[in-house]
Amino acid sequence: QVQLVESGGGLVQAGGSLGLSCAASGRTFRTAAMGWFRQAPGKEREFVAAISRSGNPYYANSVKDRFTISRDNTKNTVYLQMNSLETEDTAVYFCAAGALSGPYDYERKYIYWGQGTQVTVSS
């Protein structure tokens, strides 16, 4: 059974940093893209960042230059380093995996999803 388990969420002040991790089990994702999406209260889930199987990163414009996505295929894990956090970044962050082709900002490309981790940025 495939599982994606996110960790690292929490409460941080605006301007601060948080790092998220997503550990996958049940199969390897080294041949597929992995990504992060988020959903704020009252809003639809939106793309945050993705990383292709070859390590190419993709970012939403709203997080570009502030967030960094990376992956460690030996650990079957994807990371999201979030810097210069803003109150607008408050959301539940979901890990996604299994996209075999782009566009990687399209959530239906992903087969597997984590349960989500809460990130709250206070002013």
Side-chain angles (χ1 to χ4, degrees):
Q1 183 179 356
V2 175
Q3 279 193 315
L4 302 180
V5 179
E6 302 101 334
S7 60
L11 174 65
V12 65
Q13 285 193 324
S17 299
L18 272 179
L20 303 182
S21 299
C22 172
S25 61
R27 60 154 285 184
T28 178
F29 288 103
R30 67 178 65 199
T31 60
M34 302 181 78
W36 291 94
F37 290 73
R38 67 186 181 187
Q39 187 168 21
K43 294 187 177 181
E44 293 188 353
R45 190 158 59 185
E46 65 176 6
F47 170 73
V48 176
I51 186 164
S52 70
R53 60 183 180 182
S54 57
N56 293 322
Y58 302 84
Y59 298 99
N61 287 335
S62 60
V63 307
K64 211 168 187 178
D65 299 327
R66 298 188 298 121
F67 291 10
T68 301
I69 189 170
S70 60
R71 65 190 295 168
D72 185 340
N73 288 336
T74 65
K75 297 181 179 179
N76 221 17
T77 298
V78 63
Y79 306 94
L80 185 68
Q81 179 62 39
M82 305 182 292
N83 299 328
S84 301
L85 282 160
E86 303 168 354
T87 55
E88 292 78 12
D89 296 317
T90 294
V92 177
Y93 283 69
F94 296 91
C95 173
L100 300 179
S101 64
Y104 298 126
D105 60 348
Y106 187 42
E107 62 177 79
R108 291 193 178 185
K109 284 287 187 176
Y110 297 86
I111 302 172
Y112 303 102
W113 291 83
Q115 293 298 307
T117 185
Q118 177 70 47
V119 171
T120 303
V121 185
S122 63
S123 58

